[in-house]
Every structure is written in C-alpha cells, then in structure tokens.
Amino acid sequence: MKLTKTNIDKITYEKADKFYWDDDVTGFGVKVTKTAKTYIVQSRVNGKSIRKKIAVVGTITPDEARKQAKVLLGEMAKGIDVVAVARKERIKSVTLREAYEDFKKLRPLRESTIIGYNTAIYSTFKDWNNKPLAAISGDMVVKKFKQISVENPYGANLYFRCLRAVINFAMENYSVNDVPLLPYNPCNKINRLKIWNRAERRTRCIKPEQLADFFAGLKIKAEERQQKQQTKKQCVILLFTGCRDQEIASLQRKNIDFETGCITIETTKNHRKHILPYGKWLGEYLKELCKGLAPNDYILPANNRCGHLKDHRKACKEIAHDCNIDFSLHDLRRTFASIANNHISGMTQYTLKKLLNHAEDDVTAGYIQFEPETLRRPMQQIEDYILGKTNEIR
C-alpha cells in the first residue's frame, strides 16, 4: 500500500507481527505488533537481510520516515550494515555507571564482593560515572592511581582491579561482530608501567602463648551490647574452624548437623560447598547457640538488613582492647592454619587445603578425594591443642 497517515491509521493491531510495505520505496515499511506500529527499513547487505527501526508511528510523519528510509537504503546499497553502525555509535556512549550496572546483573557476585565494587565505582570513581568508557584514557587511570596510592596504596590496587574487571566485561559485552568496544583496557597501562603497589602478605595471627589471654577476652559479659557478644561468639567459632568471616556470620541452624557432627557452608569463596566436621567441645558450644532456633534462623543474628552479623570492626577493636591483643577476624583463620601446620603431627598440605577449603592448584590434588569424616581427626587435634593452651570458656 501507499504508506500515508490515513492508510496507516486504518491498520489494526494484530496478535502476530505483520508487515506493510510501501508501494513507492522498496524496503520501506511499517511493522505492526499487538501494541505498536513502527516505521522500518529492510534490505540485503552482503547477502544478509538487515532490518532497522526508523521511528514509532506518530513521532514523525510518513514522509519524514520515507526520507530517512531512502538515506538508509542508499547506505545499505553500498554494503554498509546500518544496524551494526548504529549499535557501534550507541555503545560508544556507554558510561562507566551503565557498564557497571550491567556487570552486576550478569555476573554472579557475592554480597561482600558487590560492596567492594560499589565502593570503587560509586565512590572512588564517582567523577567518572557519567563518562563514556571510551573517554577514560590510560593517562587518566595512571594519574588517579598515583593520587590514591599516596594515602591508600592497598586500596588503590583493589579499586583499580575492580575498574579493570568492569571495563574488561564491557569490552566484550558491547562488542560488535566480535570487535571489542575498546581497543585496549586503559587500566592495563598500570601493568605496562609496572606501578602496582607492592602488597606484603599479612602474617599476623594469635600466637600460642597469647591464646589464654585471647580466650579471656572472649568471655561474654551480661552488660555488653548484643553486637559485641555476637562477635565474641563468632571469634570462638572462627578459631576452631578456620573459616572465613562471613561463612560463619551467615550460618543458619540448618547448616549444622548434630547427628553427623558437621557444618555445611553453602556460599564459599571458590563456590564449592564446604562440609567440615567439628570437634567435641565446639559441638557443645554450637548446641548452646542453636537452642530454640528454627532451621532458617541465623546462629549469629543481628538487627540489620541482612539479618546476620556483618559490621564487626568496632566490636573487634573493643575485644582487642579487652584482651590486649590486636587482631582481625581473618587473623583467626591464619591462627587455625598455623596451628594445623606447626603443631599437628601428620598434617599434609592436601589435608590443610581441605580444612581451609582452598582451591586445588595442581593435578595430583585433584585426584585425591577427601570424605568429610577424614577431616574429623585433624579437627579434633586442632581443638585439643587450642583447649590445652587455655581454660574452657562458656
């Protein structure tokens, strides 16, 4: 038909998509769906059928749409893929914030990881949030990296690794015909200049001779606020299991099986379920914590958005002051590992990796299969060693 306003207005909406083509300009038409009418243009480019939207009917006149169609058809006649060109132009304007929002939607990130990324993108790089990724240069990255490194070298490394990951994602996510959005990641200039800040591996742990004083500082006092009491309980469990902070903080009653004597941690750093036996003393301690709890109740509840213990830094500082020993929760994981390696006879590296749920990094380790029960003996030995250095606490 002749695509005039009168004729287009007469077209009824259909359940199935329907196309109406113009008598005057071949390839110019209107696509009709259940809810919309859209001006389109369609032709073959290098043997491939290409269809591109021009505008929604009503936003421009049929004559204006026809003029645009002629221009687009002329480009397609020259072998230009107008859809790919339009997409390439559109994604050139993708901002850092837009890329990060898509990154979060498409990547399976843990809550703690998202918190770190949010700090980097929304705080450290807030002045870049509305910049197109293509406008972020290597020189800009290096300049900002050096500025942040003066006050916070470790943080600078972390923030720019977050930025690098988001840009790497965007380069592929917004690629056209497998051509990346950007020719290179501007954060890679930090690599080429070799200016990453040297981060020393942390080694602090609770020494054997400090265990008695540390345990004394973990005794619960009735006058203490709930968060401090909960953090003390978390410290006890971390010391006897070697688990990570939030693996224990987010434990639910259903994750503790008193029949088999095992803790099951569903969400781990390496995304593998971790089943860990516990010693006799810790078993009794956990039974006390779990009294009256429903299966989905957290064993360390807190009055916050996530429902379990989360922000523990202030409480840890207070506990450190009480026992006169500086520590972080991750220091307790190092303490567990150090006791296992230095004071438990017959401890192999394979067993220690299983206790800590570290990823396997060699072929041989992948062949060795551990049943959870195999880990009970070393867990009991570690518990006995710790208890031997101090008095039992309640």
Side-chain angles (χ1 to χ4, degrees):
M1 66 171 63
K2 173 77 172 178
L3 291 180
T4 62
K5 183 178 184 306
T6 301
N7 287 337
I8 293 172
D9 287 344
K10 290 179 182 177
I11 298 173
T12 58
Y13 294 102
E14 303 284 348
K15 288 184 179 180
D17 294 354
K18 216 168 183 183
F19 297 87
Y20 296 84
W21 301 103
D22 187 44
D23 287 340
D24 293 345
V25 179
T26 302
F28 170 53
V30 170
K31 177 182 177 182
V32 181
T33 66
K34 288 190 294 184
T35 58
K37 299 176 184 178
T38 309
Y39 295 116
I40 60 169
V41 64
Q42 182 169 318
S43 184
R44 298 189 74 81
V45 177
N46 300 322
K48 179 181 175 184
S49 182
I50 302 295
R51 181 191 303 154
K52 186 180 185 312
K53 171 183 173 179
I54 297 175
V56 175
V57 170
T59 58
I60 60 175
T61 66
D63 287 340
E64 290 171 333
R66 189 176 287 104
K67 288 178 183 177
Q68 291 188 35
K70 289 179 180 178
V71 172
L72 291 169
L73 288 166
E75 292 177 353
M76 294 164 83
K78 296 175 184 176
I80 299 172
D81 185 340
V82 293
V83 173
V85 170
R87 184 166 189 263
K88 195 175 289 185
E89 289 302 314
R90 181 183 65 80
I91 63 178
K92 279 182 181 178
S93 63
V94 172
T95 64
L96 175 58
R97 179 183 289 273
E98 291 170 336
Y100 178 52
E101 294 300 328
D102 285 342
F103 177 83
K104 287 195 292 184
K105 290 176 187 174
L106 298 175
R107 289 287 178 88
L109 301 175
R110 291 189 301 275
E111 183 182 356
S112 58
T113 304
I114 291 176
I115 291 172
Y117 272 95
N118 285 348
T119 300
I121 305 302
Y122 296 144
S123 180
T124 303
F125 304 114
K126 63 182 178 181
D127 52 333
W128 292 358
N129 270 201
N130 296 320
K131 282 183 179 294
L133 290 177
I136 300 174
S137 68
D139 288 340
M140 290 167 59
V141 165
V142 169
K143 182 179 178 181
K144 197 174 192 71
F145 179 79
K146 288 180 176 178
Q147 289 172 345
I148 297 172
S149 295
V150 173
E151 296 292 333
N152 188 1
Y154 180 76
N157 284 356
L158 176 64
Y159 302 147
F160 279 85
R161 286 192 176 109
C162 291
L163 178 64
R164 181 176 62 184
V166 172
I167 295 178
N168 277 337
F169 162 82
M171 288 171 66
E172 295 304 323
N173 189 58
Y174 306 114
S175 64
V176 177
N177 297 328
D178 289 331
V179 177
L181 169 66
L182 304 174
Y184 79 103
N185 190 322
C187 293
N188 288 343
K189 190 163 186 177
I190 299 175
N191 290 48
R192 294 198 301 272
L193 295 177
K194 298 181 180 180
I195 58 173
W196 288 105
N197 297 303
R198 183 178 178 81
E200 297 293 336
R201 182 181 288 273
R202 298 178 183 180
T203 59
R204 189 175 63 181
C205 64
I206 308 297
K207 296 180 176 61
E209 62 272 19
Q210 295 177 312
L211 283 171
D213 290 338
F214 182 65
F215 264 52
L218 294 182
K219 289 181 180 178
I220 304 294
K221 297 177 182 178
E223 68 273 14
E224 292 173 334
R225 69 186 192 283
Q226 184 191 31
Q227 187 189 37
K228 186 175 179 180
Q229 291 187 16
Q230 298 292 64
T231 303
K232 285 186 174 183
K233 295 172 186 176
Q234 184 185 19
C235 287
V236 172
I237 303 172
L238 290 173
L239 184 62
F240 282 102
T241 61
C243 292
R244 295 179 175 88
D245 164 18
Q246 288 303 300
E247 290 175 347
I248 296 302
S250 60
L251 269 185
Q252 294 173 290
R253 168 62 186 85
K254 64 184 178 184
N255 299 131
I256 303 173
D257 189 336
F258 290 111
E259 290 187 12
T260 62
C262 290
I263 297 172
T264 298
I265 300 169
E266 303 283 351
T267 305
T268 63
K269 186 175 181 179
N270 60 15
H271 307 292
R272 294 190 319 192
K273 183 166 65 174
H274 186 34
I275 302 177
L276 188 67
Y278 50 75
K280 295 176 182 178
W281 184 92
L282 183 60
E284 294 301 314
Y285 189 83
L286 291 172
K287 284 179 183 178
E288 288 292 323
L289 291 184
C290 291
K291 278 184 179 178
L293 296 184
N296 290 327
D297 288 345
Y298 292 111
I299 67 168
L300 297 172
N303 186 23
N304 56 27
R305 183 172 59 85
C306 61
H308 61 74
L309 195 60
K310 192 75 177 175
D311 186 8
H312 50 69
R313 292 181 184 178
K314 183 178 179 181
C316 279
K317 286 183 178 180
E318 292 176 3
I319 297 169
H321 179 268
D322 292 346
C323 61
N324 199 30
I325 299 171
D326 286 333
F327 77 98
S328 69
L329 293 187
H330 204 71
D331 292 345
L332 304 183
R333 181 169 166 83
R334 276 189 288 272
T335 301
F336 175 92
S338 299
I339 291 172
N341 185 72
N342 300 334
H343 301 286
I344 305 303
S345 60
M347 179 67 65
T348 69
Q349 287 301 305
Y350 296 130
T351 301
L352 184 55
K353 281 186 177 182
K354 286 296 180 181
L355 289 172
L356 297 171
N357 197 30
H358 278 165
E360 309 296 356
D361 55 5
D362 62 68
V363 175
T364 304
Y367 281 94
I368 299 175
Q369 301 300 310
F370 279 87
E371 294 293 334
E373 197 59 33
T374 310
L375 303 177
R376 188 174 303 280
R377 181 172 174 271
M379 285 293 289
Q380 188 61 58
Q381 288 177 307
I382 295 168
E383 180 178 284
D384 291 343
Y385 178 86
I386 295 171
L387 294 175
K389 294 294 180 180
T390 183
N391 296 320
E392 179 180 338
I393 58 172
R394 289 289 182 184

